[in-house]
Amino acid sequence: MKKVLAIIMAMLMLLSLVACNGGTAGNDDATPTPSDAAPTGTEEVDYTEGGKYMNDPGANGNAEWKLLNYPVTSNTVKYLCHYEVEQPKADKENAFRDIYNMQWETNVVGANDRITKLISSVMGGESPDIFRFDTFQPTLANKGYIQAWDSYIDLTTGLWKDLQGSLDAVLFKGGHYGLSTSANVDAGDGVWVNLEIFEELGVKSPLEYYAEGNWNWDTFRQCALETQTDNDGDGIPEIWGTSMELEYIFIYAAGKEIVSLNSDGTFTNNIRSPEIARAVNFYTQLYNDGVSYDGSDGRTVFAQGKLATMVGCYWYYLDSTYKDMFARGAIGWVPYPKDPQADKYYVQTAFGEDMLCANAPNPYGAAALMDSLRYDRLDDADNEEVDPDEYFEEYGIPYEFQQNVLKERNREGITPVLMTWQTFEMGQFWGAIWFSPLMGEPWSAIAEEISPQIDDVLETIAEG
């Protein structure tokens, strides 16, 4: 619609210019031209409300999703990131470019050099506007290398209404230091299913359990036990029941993270909680069942038809070996199983990757960019009808399959749990948490041993 209106306005302007010149050179005919006639009712509507908003009706025509008119100081916003933050294609509508008439640039640095580069840039008076990291970093806030967004962006507008739960989760010392334009629920992960195996063995599949509302740890384990196949009894299964590359998903399903971020700036060590104990003990049970393939090539084994289910990232579909499986309808996908003892359906969510740098040269421009990216997510005005065959050939995944996954990842009834293990440097305890129980050590003893060590880490982070 925006493009059609733009074309109409351009034609009217052209007619107006022709009229001012008398039609052709040397023509003194005073006959009225269309531009001299009475208004035709096609005048552009003013959506600015006196300059408060940009002159646009709002994402998808919704007035509650209008873009604020920010006092930007430059038409460029600068990112610091470990990868190129790609610009939208020229033929795709983009609010930052098309409405604000702005653009962004990315300073790409190595993943291990990101924080060092941010600190040196801020201290050297060459601060970028936005620092993109995997998770919000409270240490950067405590040391003054990033600042709260709240002084520059209005997070109470309709654009951000649906993200209030995630915004509350990253509230830190009264402000929002990390923003994302969507709640990455499930963090892109779930359970891949080889439907051919379940059909051949006559076993009820995870998709069936999920459809009837009975997809949980118990039915997940049952699927693994029933599909594990060792016909020759040599101890090497022809078909493994499952593969666990992302063991931490059970912690989130139980409704906890190892460390919780509190809005007052404090942190809570949850390692002794019954939720963490439940998650670790269930993972240990799967290991003791002998149904979990523990090799590093799980994706390859899945493609070979030797793995019934695989807990893993959604982007695994990019593996070209899966295209044939998709083509014959051999692949299914379901969200993570629910903890049967949890009061709600919990899944992990990533939020707060974009941080406003201290001394950002164009903070209002950065605010406009965040609003624009959120606008683009809500705006489906430029969606075109998709040819399923062309989509499959280009991306290697059925369009309907992908749309169903997106729908399930954003369904109602999900309670997100903010991922913070990277934020609080919990990776150093991964071995003790996930490996030691497999060696027979009781979880209660492990938790008591590492709990004071986690407290020491949190104290260091709190001190900045």
Side-chain angles (χ1 to χ4, degrees):
M1 178 59 73
K2 298 174 189 173
K3 295 175 180 177
V4 173
L5 286 175
I7 293 172
I8 293 174
M9 294 303 299
M11 292 176 64
L12 289 174
M13 291 176 64
L14 181 60
L15 289 172
S16 178
L17 288 172
V18 171
C20 290
N21 291 328
T24 58
N27 186 352
D28 296 327
D29 190 350
T31 304
T33 64
S35 62
D36 297 322
T40 61
T42 59
E43 289 81 3
E44 185 175 355
V45 178
D46 183 2
Y47 298 102
T48 66
E49 296 185 24
K52 180 180 179 180
Y53 297 100
M54 300 300 291
N55 197 23
D56 181 85
N60 208 18
N62 188 336
E64 293 186 359
W65 295 342
K66 294 172 69 172
L67 291 168
L68 289 169
N69 185 9
Y70 290 103
V72 299
T73 56
S74 167
N75 70 343
T76 302
V77 169
K78 298 181 179 180
Y79 271 105
L80 174 62
C81 187
H82 64 294
Y83 60 86
E84 184 69 41
V85 183
E86 294 185 4
Q87 306 279 352
K89 295 180 180 179
D91 61 349
K92 182 176 177 59
E93 292 187 9
N94 166 247
F96 198 57
R97 179 195 63 218
D98 301 334
I99 300 177
Y100 281 110
N101 194 28
M102 298 179 67
Q103 62 182 355
W104 69 79
E105 299 174 354
T106 310
N107 182 6
V108 180
V109 297
N112 295 330
D113 301 325
R114 288 174 290 177
I115 291 180
T116 301
K117 180 63 175 179
L118 170 69
I119 293 172
S120 63
S121 298
V122 171
M123 295 185 66
E126 297 180 350
S127 175
D129 295 299
I130 300 174
F131 177 55
R132 176 168 287 187
F133 201 75
D134 306 294
T135 56
F136 163 59
Q137 298 292 297
T139 301
L140 296 178
N142 288 334
K143 290 187 176 181
Y145 296 118
I146 59 175
Q147 59 180 315
W149 283 96
D150 305 74
S151 297
Y152 300 98
I153 190 170
D154 186 353
L155 297 172
T156 67
T157 65
L159 284 171
W160 299 92
K161 181 179 179 181
D162 292 341
L163 292 181
Q164 290 307 309
S166 296
L167 290 168
D168 291 343
V170 296
L171 191 64
F172 183 71
K173 294 184 177 180
H176 296 91
Y177 288 82
L179 282 184
S180 296
T181 55
S182 69
N184 191 7
V185 175
D186 282 355
D189 310 322
V191 180
W192 292 95
V193 183
N194 187 317
L195 297 175
E196 291 178 331
I197 291 177
F198 283 90
E199 183 177 357
E200 181 180 348
L201 297 176
V203 175
K204 191 173 182 178
S205 77
L207 277 70
E208 294 174 278
Y209 283 114
Y210 181 69
E212 66 185 27
N214 190 27
W215 178 234
N216 56 45
W217 290 357
D218 294 336
T219 52
F220 171 66
R221 177 172 179 251
Q222 184 174 343
C223 286
L225 289 169
E226 291 181 348
T227 53
Q228 181 91 350
T229 305
D230 184 11
N231 291 325
D232 57 13
D234 64 354
I236 303 176
E238 291 84 36
I239 297 174
W240 290 86
T242 192
S243 175
M244 290 300 310
E245 293 189 18
L246 305 173
E247 60 277 347
Y248 57 78
I249 65 114
F250 296 118
I251 284 181
Y252 296 102
K256 289 285 186 182
E257 167 64 290
I258 297 173
V259 177
S260 297
L261 173 68
N262 304 317
S263 61
D264 62 358
T266 61
F267 318 127
T268 300
N269 178 357
N270 299 314
I271 200 66
R272 291 191 179 102
S273 70
E275 292 87 354
I276 302 292
R278 258 195 337 263
V280 174
N281 288 333
F282 177 71
Y283 173 75
T284 304
Q285 182 183 43
L286 280 177
Y287 176 84
N288 291 334
D289 287 335
V291 296
S292 181
Y293 179 78
D294 59 1
S296 60
D297 58 342
R299 277 177 281 168
T300 300
V301 175
F302 182 80
Q304 292 171 344
K306 299 177 182 179
L307 196 58
T309 62
M310 175 178 61
V311 177
C313 300
Y314 182 59
W315 56 261
Y316 287 179
Y317 80 84
L318 295 172
D319 191 324
S320 60
T321 59
Y322 290 4
K323 190 170 184 178
D324 289 341
M325 295 182 70
F326 277 123
R328 63 178 189 265
I331 294 182
W333 183 94
V334 288
Y336 291 133
K338 179 183 181 296
D339 174 3
Q341 297 187 48
D343 59 338
K344 298 177 182 178
Y345 191 103
Y346 295 100
V347 295
Q348 73 265 28
T349 180
F351 196 86
E353 64 179 357
D354 285 335
M355 288 160 271
L356 182 63
C357 301
N359 304 323
N362 193 10
Y364 283 111
L369 176 55
M370 290 294 101
D371 272 356
S372 296
L373 295 176
R374 180 64 185 157
Y375 177 107
D376 291 338
R377 286 188 176 275
L378 295 171
D379 188 25
D380 61 6
D382 62 340
N383 285 351
E384 299 179 358
E385 185 176 344
V386 175
D387 183 304
D389 294 332
E390 292 181 0
Y391 189 90
F392 180 69
E393 284 302 315
E394 181 172 358
Y395 299 105
I397 186 172
Y399 179 75
E400 184 177 356
F401 182 98
Q402 186 180 61
Q403 293 304 302
N404 183 61
V405 170
L406 293 175
K407 175 183 176 182
E408 295 306 318
R409 284 172 55 188
N410 293 281
R411 67 200 179 283
E412 294 183 1
I414 290 177
T415 301
V417 180
L418 184 67
M419 295 179 66
T420 65
W421 68 268
Q422 286 179 299
T423 299
F424 296 106
E425 304 170 7
M426 291 295 104
Q428 60 188 294
F429 302 108
W430 243 224
I433 293 172
W434 299 113
F435 183 73
S436 296
L438 304 185
M439 299 297 100
E441 295 184 45
W443 172 249
S444 57
I446 297 170
E448 288 299 321
E449 179 182 351
I450 65 177
S451 183
Q453 300 175 43
I454 292 176
D455 288 336
D456 290 342
V457 172
L458 298 183
E459 183 178 353
T460 301
I461 292 176
E463 291 174 351

